[in-house]
Structure formats: C-alpha cells, structure tokens
Amino acid sequence: MKLPFLCSLCIVIASALGSISYAHDYNVGALTVDNPWGRPNLPERPTAAYLEIRNAGESPDLLIIARSPGFVSVFLLSSTEDGGVMKMAQLDAIVAPAGGSVDLEPGGHHIMLFGAPELYKEGDKYNLILVFENAGELEVEVHVERGSGGAHNH
C-alpha cells in the first residue's frame, strides 16, 4: 500500500521539477535584468549580449555603461536596417522606462563586446557588469547560446 503512494509521489515531484523554469533574473533597485544571453564568438570577431531590463520604478533609469572582465572594450549599440543594409550606431545610454521594459535583442539595442579573452561556445558563461544612472551597478552572468534567443529559459 505504501509503495504505490511513494511511486505516485515520485511521479508528481519529477513532473514538478521538469516544469521549473531556469531563468536568470538579477535585481538592483527597481530594475530587473532578465535572461542575459550571448552568441558564440569567432576568432578575432566581436560578440553581442542580449537581455531584458524591466523597471518597476516610477522614474526612468539609464543603462550608461557595460563592461566585462577580459574583454578589451564594450559598447552599447543600436542596429537599424536602411535599404536592406544593417547599420550600427553607438549609444550614450539605453532607457529603461518607468513602469516598463526595454529589450536588448538581435536587430535592435544590444551590447557589443570586442577582444574576447577566449572563444565562447554554446553552454559557456561570462560576467557582464551593467551600470545604471540611478540604480547603480549590477553584475550578471551571460549564457552563451545558439539561435535567436527570444523567450528562452535555462
């Protein structure tokens, strides 16, 4: 009688564990940074990091600096398409609107990292430090993935 109960309990626990979302959320002040990810890099080529910034505060905040140990330089960029040609422009800041969010994603705002200390492949991780005008500094772990990101969990 106890064995069927234990088997049922194990199945319920295994089902619950299988549905857990392994998202990466980081918080500083009123800001939440969700699912930082990046693509594998090629030798002597830059890579990019993507994430979502949610602002639960009543005032906007600005992402003003990004840096990463080991990388030579890190820039905030925006991509736009003009006549079928992708163009990138360096940004002074990225606004996280009050009560809203901003997505850093392929083809839009993103963080470009130059001079990687190593080749990053799928499954690797590296640290990224984000500096916000009001909330301050936040260190996140970027997970290297293939594909276009989007709604992903780890």
Side-chain angles (χ1 to χ4, degrees):
M1 200 141 155
K2 288 184 180 180
L3 187 56
F5 172 75
L6 289 175
C7 288
S8 296
L9 182 60
C10 287
I11 291 170
V12 168
I13 291 171
S15 296
L17 289 175
S19 66
I20 291 175
S21 172
Y22 293 98
H24 304 99
D25 294 343
Y26 302 87
N27 299 293
V28 62
L31 303 179
T32 299
V33 172
D34 188 29
N35 285 330
W37 70 280
R39 291 188 174 137
N41 61 328
L42 298 172
E44 299 183 29
R45 301 287 302 182
T47 189
Y50 310 100
L51 47 89
E52 178 188 15
I53 304 168
R54 292 189 312 270
N55 184 353
E58 295 180 9
S59 301
D61 205 342
L62 300 174
L63 173 60
I64 54 174
I65 298 171
R67 61 183 184 272
S68 185
F71 282 89
V72 173
S73 57
V74 181
F75 297 99
L76 305 176
L77 297 179
S78 181
S79 295
T80 56
E81 186 177 340
D82 183 18
V85 176
M86 290 301 289
K87 296 182 179 183
M88 283 190 268
Q90 188 172 344
L91 302 171
D92 293 328
I94 297 174
V95 178
S101 66
V102 60
D103 290 321
L104 279 64
E105 58 191 1
H109 294 336
H110 59 281
I111 299 168
M112 188 70 77
L113 303 101
F114 293 86
E118 61 185 274
L119 290 179
Y120 292 102
K121 62 187 180 312
E122 187 173 2
D124 288 343
K125 303 170 189 170
Y126 58 87
N127 291 336
L128 181 65
I129 300 160
L130 307 172
V131 181
F132 295 93
E133 185 175 65
N134 299 317
E137 195 169 289
L138 178 66
E139 187 167 352
V140 302
E141 188 172 68
V142 176
H143 291 250
V144 178
E145 304 175 359
R146 292 205 173 275
S148 60
H152 60 283
N153 295 314
H154 305 276

